[in-house]
Amino acid sequence: MRKGKRNDGGGDRLREEDILIELLSRLDVKTLLQCKAVSKTWYSLISTPIFIKSHFNRALNGADNQTATTLIVRLFKIECLRDFPEEDGSFALYQLDCYDYVARLYFPYSKGDYPFTPPSLLIGCVFGIVCVCVDPDPDTDAYSFQATLKGRSDIYIWNPATKQSKLIPAHTLHDDEGKVSLGFGFDPIDFDFKVVKVLSNDVFPEVYSLNRNVWRKIEVKLSDRPNRNIFEICIHGFLFTVGCNGMMAFDLNREVFICDIKLPVASCDACIADFKDSIAVIIFNFKEERDRIKLWTLDDEACLRGAGVEASWTMMLSIDVGMHLDWVYGIFNSVEFLLESDDWFSYNTDKKEVIRMFPNPLFDFNEVFKYTESLVLVAGSKLVNWSADKDDNEESSPDSEEVSEEGSVDLEDNDEESSVGVASEDDNEESAADSEDNEESNVDSEDDAGDE
């Protein structure tokens, strides 16, 4: 046979694998977890970091379409919400195209972990991974906890799609008197999920690294404090919020704060947002034009390097929505604002129309984040069990109940590896091989029984 004409099937197998990846990457997470049980080949393929990244990027690009954007929200205590039974502060997914709830998520902990339903707060959502703060103190009422985050809270890092979560170590600093602010983000350089905690007094802030699984004290006195108890967004490796003196940023890789970043207009009512992958600030509460929303984008990120460079902004939008506004809660899909004006509304900047969100959203608008489901599993996480969806939990976890601390999921175009993510590929193959060996053993046993 001439060189280059060898027909050993290798090329065909490669093309078949590419086709399989293309097809499987279009499926939702629940279906993919079930597909792991099909064969060792499928199990290994779906568990690889490259497939997890491909699946997430496809889902993320699809979610950029305004008709597909899903939000993760925390529900108020309710008497009835269609198929959702009554719960206090449980979590759900809300879809903007139909303005309705599409899934019940329950909680990041298992039923029975607490003797009561503790108050909780949604801190952030990045790459389909969600951070939730829970107060285990039965004497703390939900309102005061959500307003100030006082007390010794539990913090979970949770993947609702895979029903896996991790209770991170307790933070060492506590302030039962002052206000606490928390932020959750992803460091794209070290491929690390991090939680930052800022106290309202002179105590040093702290940062938790999932890779290191420890809290570290940031020994610097901040010149400003966040106005809110959660940071608004994570973008380009930074967490952002508004303080008393301007915008505040936290560099998730260097683990340093940049304070007093000048806003285009001085306002404590500003909201930091992601506008077409740019850092943006939304300001609406002007005394002379209460009903107008204005949005600026940051010209460049030189001011975030801490070298004393002053921020410059460009106005991108100036909108009169035609109604009195109580609050603007951010912008999603780069085109749709969420507004409060006695009732809940959305405003689409492309269509220039206001839509009343019906049925009335029964969630806290202060805790709304864009959500895209992913296969990313957090190292050290465990399966969350709720009796109402026990079967779903079993189906969604064909692997072990606890995710291995080893493994890597490269969420960026970089050759480095991360300790965040699914169990290592070798472990997955061994697990799948053991499963197939067990199946063969069972078949042999049945044959022997038949012969007898």
Side-chain angles (χ1 to χ4, degrees), residues 119-123 133-135 140 142-153 155 171 174-176 178-183 196-199 228-230:
S120 58
L121 187 72
L122 185 61
I123 303 301
C133 185
V134 175
D135 191 339
T140 303
Y143 177 78
S144 62
F145 172 68
Q146 290 153 10
T148 63
L149 286 180
K150 293 179 181 178
R152 299 172 181 267
S153 55
I155 297 178
H171 36 136
H174 305 280
D175 182 13
D176 294 330
K179 182 179 177 181
V180 178
S181 297
L182 291 171
V196 63
K197 179 182 180 183
V198 180
L199 302 178
R228 298 182 60 191
N229 53 8
I230 56 176

PDB file of all heavy atoms in Angstrom, residues 119-123 133-135 140 142-153 155 171 174-176 178-183 196-199 228-230:
ATOM      1  N   PRO A 119     -31.870  31.554  56.835  1.00  0.00           N
ATOM      2  CA  PRO A 119     -31.830  32.613  55.822  1.00  0.00           C
ATOM      3  C   PRO A 119     -30.572  32.490  54.976  1.00  0.00           C
ATOM      4  O   PRO A 119     -29.521  32.049  55.447  1.00  0.00           O
ATOM      5  CB  PRO A 119     -31.828  33.906  56.648  1.00  0.00           C
ATOM      6  CG  PRO A 119     -31.335  33.505  57.996  1.00  0.00           C
ATOM      7  CD  PRO A 119     -31.784  32.095  58.203  1.00  0.00           C
ATOM      8  N   SER A 120     -30.684  32.850  53.715  1.00  0.00           N
ATOM      9  CA  SER A 120     -29.551  32.719  52.804  1.00  0.00           C
ATOM     10  C   SER A 120     -29.465  33.925  51.892  1.00  0.00           C
ATOM     11  O   SER A 120     -30.424  34.693  51.747  1.00  0.00           O
ATOM     12  CB  SER A 120     -29.664  31.432  51.979  1.00  0.00           C
ATOM     13  OG  SER A 120     -30.871  31.409  51.247  1.00  0.00           O
ATOM     14  N   LEU A 121     -28.308  34.073  51.260  1.00  0.00           N
ATOM     15  CA  LEU A 121     -28.061  35.210  50.372  1.00  0.00           C
ATOM     16  C   LEU A 121     -27.250  34.731  49.184  1.00  0.00           C
ATOM     17  O   LEU A 121     -26.263  34.011  49.339  1.00  0.00           O
ATOM     18  CB  LEU A 121     -27.301  36.304  51.117  1.00  0.00           C
ATOM     19  CG  LEU A 121     -27.113  37.634  50.390  1.00  0.00           C
ATOM     20  CD1 LEU A 121     -28.437  38.384  50.328  1.00  0.00           C
ATOM     21  CD2 LEU A 121     -26.082  38.497  51.107  1.00  0.00           C
ATOM     22  N   LEU A 122     -27.666  35.124  47.987  1.00  0.00           N
ATOM     23  CA  LEU A 122     -26.954  34.793  46.761  1.00  0.00           C
ATOM     24  C   LEU A 122     -25.827  35.802  46.567  1.00  0.00           C
ATOM     25  O   LEU A 122     -26.062  36.999  46.421  1.00  0.00           O
ATOM     26  CB  LEU A 122     -27.934  34.840  45.591  1.00  0.00           C
ATOM     27  CG  LEU A 122     -27.436  34.411  44.210  1.00  0.00           C
ATOM     28  CD1 LEU A 122     -26.980  32.965  44.236  1.00  0.00           C
ATOM     29  CD2 LEU A 122     -28.548  34.594  43.177  1.00  0.00           C
ATOM     30  N   ILE A 123     -24.578  35.302  46.563  1.00  0.00           N
ATOM     31  CA  ILE A 123     -23.415  36.189  46.516  1.00  0.00           C
ATOM     32  C   ILE A 123     -22.929  36.427  45.095  1.00  0.00           C
ATOM     33  O   ILE A 123     -22.478  37.517  44.746  1.00  0.00           O
ATOM     34  CB  ILE A 123     -22.259  35.616  47.365  1.00  0.00           C
ATOM     35  CG1 ILE A 123     -22.735  35.392  48.807  1.00  0.00           C
ATOM     36  CG2 ILE A 123     -21.050  36.535  47.337  1.00  0.00           C
ATOM     37  CD1 ILE A 123     -23.232  36.637  49.486  1.00  0.00           C
ATOM     38  N   CYS A 133     -24.412  32.353  50.739  1.00  0.00           N
ATOM     39  CA  CYS A 133     -24.098  32.545  52.159  1.00  0.00           C
ATOM     40  C   CYS A 133     -25.329  32.178  52.983  1.00  0.00           C
ATOM     41  O   CYS A 133     -26.441  32.633  52.688  1.00  0.00           O
ATOM     42  CB  CYS A 133     -23.692  33.993  52.403  1.00  0.00           C
ATOM     43  SG  CYS A 133     -23.137  34.338  54.073  1.00  0.00           S
ATOM     44  N   VAL A 134     -25.138  31.352  54.014  1.00  0.00           N
ATOM     45  CA  VAL A 134     -26.240  30.837  54.834  1.00  0.00           C
ATOM     46  C   VAL A 134     -25.952  31.147  56.302  1.00  0.00           C
ATOM     47  O   VAL A 134     -24.816  30.957  56.771  1.00  0.00           O
ATOM     48  CB  VAL A 134     -26.403  29.313  54.636  1.00  0.00           C
ATOM     49  CG1 VAL A 134     -27.456  28.745  55.576  1.00  0.00           C
ATOM     50  CG2 VAL A 134     -26.770  29.004  53.187  1.00  0.00           C
ATOM     51  N   ASP A 135     -26.969  31.594  57.039  1.00  0.00           N
ATOM     52  CA  ASP A 135     -26.810  31.868  58.472  1.00  0.00           C
ATOM     53  C   ASP A 135     -27.375  30.707  59.279  1.00  0.00           C
ATOM     54  O   ASP A 135     -28.590  30.485  59.280  1.00  0.00           O
ATOM     55  CB  ASP A 135     -27.519  33.164  58.850  1.00  0.00           C
ATOM     56  CG  ASP A 135     -27.158  33.620  60.258  1.00  0.00           C
ATOM     57  OD1 ASP A 135     -26.700  32.777  61.054  1.00  0.00           O
ATOM     58  OD2 ASP A 135     -27.329  34.808  60.574  1.00  0.00           O
ATOM     59  N   THR A 140     -31.268  34.437  64.282  1.00  0.00           N
ATOM     60  CA  THR A 140     -31.103  35.518  63.307  1.00  0.00           C
ATOM     61  C   THR A 140     -32.291  35.541  62.363  1.00  0.00           C
ATOM     62  O   THR A 140     -32.636  34.533  61.755  1.00  0.00           O
ATOM     63  CB  THR A 140     -29.821  35.329  62.481  1.00  0.00           C
ATOM     64  OG1 THR A 140     -28.706  35.257  63.364  1.00  0.00           O
ATOM     65  CG2 THR A 140     -29.635  36.480  61.501  1.00  0.00           C
ATOM     66  N   ALA A 142     -34.305  36.645  58.905  1.00  0.00           N
ATOM     67  CA  ALA A 142     -33.864  36.714  57.514  1.00  0.00           C
ATOM     68  C   ALA A 142     -33.559  38.135  57.080  1.00  0.00           C
ATOM     69  O   ALA A 142     -32.590  38.388  56.372  1.00  0.00           O
ATOM     70  CB  ALA A 142     -34.915  36.090  56.602  1.00  0.00           C
ATOM     71  N   TYR A 143     -34.383  39.096  57.507  1.00  0.00           N
ATOM     72  CA  TYR A 143     -34.215  40.464  57.026  1.00  0.00           C
ATOM     73  C   TYR A 143     -32.886  41.057  57.489  1.00  0.00           C
ATOM     74  O   TYR A 143     -32.131  41.623  56.693  1.00  0.00           O
ATOM     75  CB  TYR A 143     -35.355  41.347  57.506  1.00  0.00           C
ATOM     76  CG  TYR A 143     -35.191  42.795  57.101  1.00  0.00           C
ATOM     77  CD1 TYR A 143     -35.490  43.215  55.804  1.00  0.00           C
ATOM     78  CD2 TYR A 143     -34.698  43.745  58.008  1.00  0.00           C
ATOM     79  CE1 TYR A 143     -35.310  44.536  55.413  1.00  0.00           C
ATOM     80  CE2 TYR A 143     -34.522  45.060  57.630  1.00  0.00           C
ATOM     81  CZ  TYR A 143     -34.836  45.453  56.333  1.00  0.00           C
ATOM     82  OH  TYR A 143     -34.653  46.758  55.966  1.00  0.00           O
ATOM     83  N   SER A 144     -32.572  40.916  58.797  1.00  0.00           N
ATOM     84  CA  SER A 144     -31.333  41.518  59.297  1.00  0.00           C
ATOM     85  C   SER A 144     -30.106  40.833  58.713  1.00  0.00           C
ATOM     86  O   SER A 144     -29.096  41.475  58.439  1.00  0.00           O
ATOM     87  CB  SER A 144     -31.291  41.442  60.830  1.00  0.00           C
ATOM     88  OG  SER A 144     -31.291  40.092  61.266  1.00  0.00           O
ATOM     89  N   PHE A 145     -30.191  39.524  58.480  1.00  0.00           N
ATOM     90  CA  PHE A 145     -29.052  38.808  57.892  1.00  0.00           C
ATOM     91  C   PHE A 145     -28.791  39.273  56.471  1.00  0.00           C
ATOM     92  O   PHE A 145     -27.654  39.551  56.087  1.00  0.00           O
ATOM     93  CB  PHE A 145     -29.320  37.301  57.915  1.00  0.00           C
ATOM     94  CG  PHE A 145     -28.294  36.500  57.151  1.00  0.00           C
ATOM     95  CD1 PHE A 145     -26.988  36.409  57.606  1.00  0.00           C
ATOM     96  CD2 PHE A 145     -28.632  35.864  55.974  1.00  0.00           C
ATOM     97  CE1 PHE A 145     -26.032  35.678  56.905  1.00  0.00           C
ATOM     98  CE2 PHE A 145     -27.686  35.130  55.263  1.00  0.00           C
ATOM     99  CZ  PHE A 145     -26.386  35.046  55.733  1.00  0.00           C
ATOM    100  N   GLN A 146     -29.854  39.373  55.673  1.00  0.00           N
ATOM    101  CA  GLN A 146     -29.691  39.779  54.279  1.00  0.00           C
ATOM    102  C   GLN A 146     -29.295  41.243  54.155  1.00  0.00           C
ATOM    103  O   GLN A 146     -28.693  41.650  53.161  1.00  0.00           O
ATOM    104  CB  GLN A 146     -30.987  39.491  53.513  1.00  0.00           C
ATOM    105  CG  GLN A 146     -31.224  37.998  53.337  1.00  0.00           C
ATOM    106  CD  GLN A 146     -32.684  37.637  53.193  1.00  0.00           C
ATOM    107  OE1 GLN A 146     -33.531  38.513  53.044  1.00  0.00           O
ATOM    108  NE2 GLN A 146     -32.981  36.353  53.246  1.00  0.00           N
ATOM    109  N   ALA A 147     -29.620  42.038  55.173  1.00  0.00           N
ATOM    110  CA  ALA A 147     -29.293  43.460  55.115  1.00  0.00           C
ATOM    111  C   ALA A 147     -27.845  43.739  55.520  1.00  0.00           C
ATOM    112  O   ALA A 147     -27.212  44.647  54.986  1.00  0.00           O
ATOM    113  CB  ALA A 147     -30.243  44.246  56.016  1.00  0.00           C
ATOM    114  N   THR A 148     -27.306  42.936  56.457  1.00  0.00           N
ATOM    115  CA  THR A 148     -25.989  43.256  56.991  1.00  0.00           C
ATOM    116  C   THR A 148     -25.001  42.093  56.940  1.00  0.00           C
ATOM    117  O   THR A 148     -23.812  42.292  57.142  1.00  0.00           O
ATOM    118  CB  THR A 148     -26.106  43.731  58.450  1.00  0.00           C
ATOM    119  OG1 THR A 148     -26.632  42.656  59.248  1.00  0.00           O
ATOM    120  CG2 THR A 148     -27.019  44.938  58.571  1.00  0.00           C
ATOM    121  N   LEU A 149     -25.468  40.870  56.733  1.00  0.00           N
ATOM    122  CA  LEU A 149     -24.605  39.676  56.739  1.00  0.00           C
ATOM    123  C   LEU A 149     -23.841  39.546  58.051  1.00  0.00           C
ATOM    124  O   LEU A 149     -22.691  39.111  58.085  1.00  0.00           O
ATOM    125  CB  LEU A 149     -23.610  39.706  55.577  1.00  0.00           C
ATOM    126  CG  LEU A 149     -24.171  39.412  54.195  1.00  0.00           C
ATOM    127  CD1 LEU A 149     -23.071  39.490  53.152  1.00  0.00           C
ATOM    128  CD2 LEU A 149     -24.804  38.040  54.142  1.00  0.00           C
ATOM    129  N   LYS A 150     -24.468  39.903  59.148  1.00  0.00           N
ATOM    130  CA  LYS A 150     -23.814  39.774  60.444  1.00  0.00           C
ATOM    131  C   LYS A 150     -23.730  38.310  60.859  1.00  0.00           C
ATOM    132  O   LYS A 150     -24.461  37.464  60.368  1.00  0.00           O
ATOM    133  CB  LYS A 150     -24.597  40.558  61.505  1.00  0.00           C
ATOM    134  CG  LYS A 150     -24.584  42.057  61.314  1.00  0.00           C
ATOM    135  CD  LYS A 150     -25.404  42.737  62.394  1.00  0.00           C
ATOM    136  CE  LYS A 150     -25.429  44.251  62.214  1.00  0.00           C
ATOM    137  NZ  LYS A 150     -26.254  44.917  63.234  1.00  0.00           N
ATOM    138  N   GLY A 151     -22.860  38.054  61.831  1.00  0.00           N
ATOM    139  CA  GLY A 151     -22.797  36.719  62.410  1.00  0.00           C
ATOM    140  C   GLY A 151     -21.839  35.799  61.691  1.00  0.00           C
ATOM    141  O   GLY A 151     -21.166  36.160  60.730  1.00  0.00           O
ATOM    142  N   ARG A 152     -21.783  34.544  62.172  1.00  0.00           N
ATOM    143  CA  ARG A 152     -20.870  33.542  61.642  1.00  0.00           C
ATOM    144  C   ARG A 152     -21.615  32.705  60.612  1.00  0.00           C
ATOM    145  O   ARG A 152     -22.289  31.741  60.961  1.00  0.00           O
ATOM    146  CB  ARG A 152     -20.337  32.683  62.785  1.00  0.00           C
ATOM    147  CG  ARG A 152     -19.576  33.492  63.811  1.00  0.00           C
ATOM    148  CD  ARG A 152     -19.209  32.665  65.047  1.00  0.00           C
ATOM    149  NE  ARG A 152     -18.503  33.500  65.995  1.00  0.00           N
ATOM    150  CZ  ARG A 152     -17.188  33.618  66.066  1.00  0.00           C
ATOM    151  NH1 ARG A 152     -16.430  32.955  65.208  1.00  0.00           N
ATOM    152  NH2 ARG A 152     -16.613  34.388  66.953  1.00  0.00           N
ATOM    153  N   SER A 153     -21.504  33.066  59.381  1.00  0.00           N
ATOM    154  CA  SER A 153     -22.280  32.426  58.314  1.00  0.00           C
ATOM    155  C   SER A 153     -21.514  31.276  57.680  1.00  0.00           C
ATOM    156  O   SER A 153     -20.288  31.206  57.741  1.00  0.00           O
ATOM    157  CB  SER A 153     -22.660  33.453  57.257  1.00  0.00           C
ATOM    158  OG  SER A 153     -21.509  34.112  56.766  1.00  0.00           O
ATOM    159  N   ILE A 155     -20.668  29.421  54.055  1.00  0.00           N
ATOM    160  CA  ILE A 155     -20.587  29.806  52.644  1.00  0.00           C
ATOM    161  C   ILE A 155     -20.416  28.550  51.798  1.00  0.00           C
ATOM    162  O   ILE A 155     -19.532  27.734  52.049  1.00  0.00           O
ATOM    163  CB  ILE A 155     -19.422  30.785  52.390  1.00  0.00           C
ATOM    164  CG1 ILE A 155     -19.657  32.088  53.176  1.00  0.00           C
ATOM    165  CG2 ILE A 155     -19.296  31.091  50.903  1.00  0.00           C
ATOM    166  CD1 ILE A 155     -18.536  33.103  53.031  1.00  0.00           C
ATOM    167  N   HIS A 171     -14.725  31.481  57.700  1.00  0.00           N
ATOM    168  CA  HIS A 171     -13.853  32.640  57.673  1.00  0.00           C
ATOM    169  C   HIS A 171     -13.507  33.039  59.102  1.00  0.00           C
ATOM    170  O   HIS A 171     -14.288  32.864  60.028  1.00  0.00           O
ATOM    171  CB  HIS A 171     -14.470  33.797  56.889  1.00  0.00           C
ATOM    172  CG  HIS A 171     -15.951  33.932  57.029  1.00  0.00           C
ATOM    173  ND1 HIS A 171     -16.578  35.131  57.219  1.00  0.00           N
ATOM    174  CD2 HIS A 171     -16.958  33.006  57.019  1.00  0.00           C
ATOM    175  CE1 HIS A 171     -17.891  34.957  57.313  1.00  0.00           C
ATOM    176  NE2 HIS A 171     -18.127  33.675  57.198  1.00  0.00           N
ATOM    177  N   HIS A 174     -14.950  38.068  62.131  1.00  0.00           N
ATOM    178  CA  HIS A 174     -16.381  38.246  62.348  1.00  0.00           C
ATOM    179  C   HIS A 174     -16.632  39.640  62.896  1.00  0.00           C
ATOM    180  O   HIS A 174     -15.817  40.202  63.620  1.00  0.00           O
ATOM    181  CB  HIS A 174     -16.922  37.195  63.327  1.00  0.00           C
ATOM    182  CG  HIS A 174     -16.629  35.795  62.915  1.00  0.00           C
ATOM    183  ND1 HIS A 174     -17.357  35.123  61.963  1.00  0.00           N
ATOM    184  CD2 HIS A 174     -15.658  34.929  63.317  1.00  0.00           C
ATOM    185  CE1 HIS A 174     -16.858  33.911  61.793  1.00  0.00           C
ATOM    186  NE2 HIS A 174     -15.827  33.771  62.605  1.00  0.00           N
ATOM    187  N   ASP A 175     -17.781  40.174  62.556  1.00  0.00           N
ATOM    188  CA  ASP A 175     -18.170  41.494  63.032  1.00  0.00           C
ATOM    189  C   ASP A 175     -19.665  41.465  63.274  1.00  0.00           C
ATOM    190  O   ASP A 175     -20.461  41.537  62.344  1.00  0.00           O
ATOM    191  CB  ASP A 175     -17.807  42.567  61.998  1.00  0.00           C
ATOM    192  CG  ASP A 175     -18.166  43.966  62.481  1.00  0.00           C
ATOM    193  OD1 ASP A 175     -18.463  44.109  63.687  1.00  0.00           O
ATOM    194  OD2 ASP A 175     -18.164  44.903  61.670  1.00  0.00           O
ATOM    195  N   ASP A 176     -20.054  41.344  64.547  1.00  0.00           N
ATOM    196  CA  ASP A 176     -21.468  41.238  64.880  1.00  0.00           C
ATOM    197  C   ASP A 176     -22.143  42.601  64.955  1.00  0.00           C
ATOM    198  O   ASP A 176     -23.349  42.680  65.192  1.00  0.00           O
ATOM    199  CB  ASP A 176     -21.638  40.499  66.218  1.00  0.00           C
ATOM    200  CG  ASP A 176     -21.199  39.048  66.131  1.00  0.00           C
ATOM    201  OD1 ASP A 176     -21.318  38.483  65.034  1.00  0.00           O
ATOM    202  OD2 ASP A 176     -20.724  38.509  67.145  1.00  0.00           O
ATOM    203  N   GLY A 178     -20.952  45.642  62.765  1.00  0.00           N
ATOM    204  CA  GLY A 178     -20.896  46.391  61.518  1.00  0.00           C
ATOM    205  C   GLY A 178     -21.420  45.619  60.322  1.00  0.00           C
ATOM    206  O   GLY A 178     -21.805  44.453  60.410  1.00  0.00           O
ATOM    207  N   LYS A 179     -21.411  46.267  59.179  1.00  0.00           N
ATOM    208  CA  LYS A 179     -21.889  45.682  57.937  1.00  0.00           C
ATOM    209  C   LYS A 179     -20.803  44.860  57.269  1.00  0.00           C
ATOM    210  O   LYS A 179     -19.628  45.201  57.325  1.00  0.00           O
ATOM    211  CB  LYS A 179     -22.348  46.800  56.993  1.00  0.00           C
ATOM    212  CG  LYS A 179     -22.913  46.315  55.676  1.00  0.00           C
ATOM    213  CD  LYS A 179     -23.351  47.486  54.826  1.00  0.00           C
ATOM    214  CE  LYS A 179     -23.859  47.023  53.464  1.00  0.00           C
ATOM    215  NZ  LYS A 179     -24.267  48.153  52.606  1.00  0.00           N
ATOM    216  N   VAL A 180     -21.197  43.761  56.640  1.00  0.00           N
ATOM    217  CA  VAL A 180     -20.270  42.882  55.943  1.00  0.00           C
ATOM    218  C   VAL A 180     -20.630  42.854  54.463  1.00  0.00           C
ATOM    219  O   VAL A 180     -21.805  42.831  54.104  1.00  0.00           O
ATOM    220  CB  VAL A 180     -20.318  41.447  56.520  1.00  0.00           C
ATOM    221  CG1 VAL A 180     -19.388  40.523  55.743  1.00  0.00           C
ATOM    222  CG2 VAL A 180     -19.945  41.455  57.993  1.00  0.00           C
ATOM    223  N   SER A 181     -19.628  42.851  53.595  1.00  0.00           N
ATOM    224  CA  SER A 181     -19.852  42.726  52.154  1.00  0.00           C
ATOM    225  C   SER A 181     -19.065  41.533  51.638  1.00  0.00           C
ATOM    226  O   SER A 181     -17.916  41.320  52.032  1.00  0.00           O
ATOM    227  CB  SER A 181     -19.409  43.998  51.418  1.00  0.00           C
ATOM    228  OG  SER A 181     -20.182  45.116  51.814  1.00  0.00           O
ATOM    229  N   LEU A 182     -19.697  40.758  50.743  1.00  0.00           N
ATOM    230  CA  LEU A 182     -19.076  39.570  50.169  1.00  0.00           C
ATOM    231  C   LEU A 182     -19.091  39.653  48.651  1.00  0.00           C
ATOM    232  O   LEU A 182     -20.016  40.213  48.057  1.00  0.00           O
ATOM    233  CB  LEU A 182     -19.803  38.299  50.608  1.00  0.00           C
ATOM    234  CG  LEU A 182     -19.697  37.887  52.079  1.00  0.00           C
ATOM    235  CD1 LEU A 182     -20.645  36.737  52.367  1.00  0.00           C
ATOM    236  CD2 LEU A 182     -18.271  37.501  52.432  1.00  0.00           C
ATOM    237  N   GLY A 183     -18.084  39.067  48.029  1.00  0.00           N
ATOM    238  CA  GLY A 183     -18.039  38.977  46.573  1.00  0.00           C
ATOM    239  C   GLY A 183     -17.515  37.612  46.150  1.00  0.00           C
ATOM    240  O   GLY A 183     -16.741  36.984  46.871  1.00  0.00           O
ATOM    241  N   VAL A 196     -14.353  37.041  48.525  1.00  0.00           N
ATOM    242  CA  VAL A 196     -13.735  38.145  49.262  1.00  0.00           C
ATOM    243  C   VAL A 196     -14.729  38.666  50.289  1.00  0.00           C
ATOM    244  O   VAL A 196     -15.940  38.727  50.031  1.00  0.00           O
ATOM    245  CB  VAL A 196     -13.273  39.275  48.308  1.00  0.00           C
ATOM    246  CG1 VAL A 196     -14.449  39.902  47.585  1.00  0.00           C
ATOM    247  CG2 VAL A 196     -12.502  40.344  49.071  1.00  0.00           C
ATOM    248  N   LYS A 197     -14.210  39.011  51.454  1.00  0.00           N
ATOM    249  CA  LYS A 197     -15.043  39.513  52.544  1.00  0.00           C
ATOM    250  C   LYS A 197     -14.497  40.838  53.031  1.00  0.00           C
ATOM    251  O   LYS A 197     -13.306  40.952  53.356  1.00  0.00           O
ATOM    252  CB  LYS A 197     -15.079  38.502  53.698  1.00  0.00           C
ATOM    253  CG  LYS A 197     -15.910  38.965  54.890  1.00  0.00           C
ATOM    254  CD  LYS A 197     -15.865  37.951  56.024  1.00  0.00           C
ATOM    255  CE  LYS A 197     -16.698  38.445  57.202  1.00  0.00           C
ATOM    256  NZ  LYS A 197     -16.610  37.506  58.343  1.00  0.00           N
ATOM    257  N   VAL A 198     -15.371  41.859  53.098  1.00  0.00           N
ATOM    258  CA  VAL A 198     -14.984  43.189  53.560  1.00  0.00           C
ATOM    259  C   VAL A 198     -15.868  43.560  54.741  1.00  0.00           C
ATOM    260  O   VAL A 198     -17.097  43.446  54.666  1.00  0.00           O
ATOM    261  CB  VAL A 198     -15.147  44.245  52.442  1.00  0.00           C
ATOM    262  CG1 VAL A 198     -14.728  45.624  52.953  1.00  0.00           C
ATOM    263  CG2 VAL A 198     -14.316  43.863  51.227  1.00  0.00           C
ATOM    264  N   LEU A 199     -15.250  44.005  55.833  1.00  0.00           N
ATOM    265  CA  LEU A 199     -15.983  44.460  57.011  1.00  0.00           C
ATOM    266  C   LEU A 199     -16.072  45.975  57.006  1.00  0.00           C
ATOM    267  O   LEU A 199     -15.263  46.661  56.379  1.00  0.00           O
ATOM    268  CB  LEU A 199     -15.286  43.980  58.286  1.00  0.00           C
ATOM    269  CG  LEU A 199     -15.107  42.456  58.411  1.00  0.00           C
ATOM    270  CD1 LEU A 199     -14.361  42.117  59.679  1.00  0.00           C
ATOM    271  CD2 LEU A 199     -16.454  41.774  58.390  1.00  0.00           C
ATOM    272  N   ARG A 228     -23.072  48.163  49.163  1.00  0.00           N
ATOM    273  CA  ARG A 228     -23.967  47.011  49.172  1.00  0.00           C
ATOM    274  C   ARG A 228     -23.300  45.846  49.902  1.00  0.00           C
ATOM    275  O   ARG A 228     -22.094  45.844  50.115  1.00  0.00           O
ATOM    276  CB  ARG A 228     -24.318  46.602  47.741  1.00  0.00           C
ATOM    277  CG  ARG A 228     -25.054  47.662  46.934  1.00  0.00           C
ATOM    278  CD  ARG A 228     -25.399  47.126  45.561  1.00  0.00           C
ATOM    279  NE  ARG A 228     -26.245  45.941  45.648  1.00  0.00           N
ATOM    280  CZ  ARG A 228     -26.520  45.149  44.607  1.00  0.00           C
ATOM    281  NH1 ARG A 228     -25.993  45.403  43.427  1.00  0.00           N
ATOM    282  NH2 ARG A 228     -27.299  44.105  44.764  1.00  0.00           N
ATOM    283  N   ASN A 229     -24.126  44.840  50.248  1.00  0.00           N
ATOM    284  CA  ASN A 229     -23.561  43.684  50.943  1.00  0.00           C
ATOM    285  C   ASN A 229     -23.044  42.617  49.986  1.00  0.00           C
ATOM    286  O   ASN A 229     -22.472  41.621  50.428  1.00  0.00           O
ATOM    287  CB  ASN A 229     -24.575  43.075  51.917  1.00  0.00           C
ATOM    288  CG  ASN A 229     -25.894  42.755  51.248  1.00  0.00           C
ATOM    289  OD1 ASN A 229     -26.024  42.848  50.032  1.00  0.00           O
ATOM    290  ND2 ASN A 229     -26.886  42.388  52.041  1.00  0.00           N
ATOM    291  N   ILE A 230     -23.220  42.815  48.668  1.00  0.00           N
ATOM    292  CA  ILE A 230     -22.612  41.920  47.690  1.00  0.00           C
ATOM    293  C   ILE A 230     -22.014  42.753  46.553  1.00  0.00           C
ATOM    294  O   ILE A 230     -22.527  43.815  46.208  1.00  0.00           O
ATOM    295  CB  ILE A 230     -23.630  40.906  47.102  1.00  0.00           C
ATOM    296  CG1 ILE A 230     -24.836  41.622  46.492  1.00  0.00           C
ATOM    297  CG2 ILE A 230     -24.072  39.909  48.153  1.00  0.00           C
ATOM    298  CD1 ILE A 230     -25.811  40.679  45.823  1.00  0.00           C
TER     299      ILE A 230
END
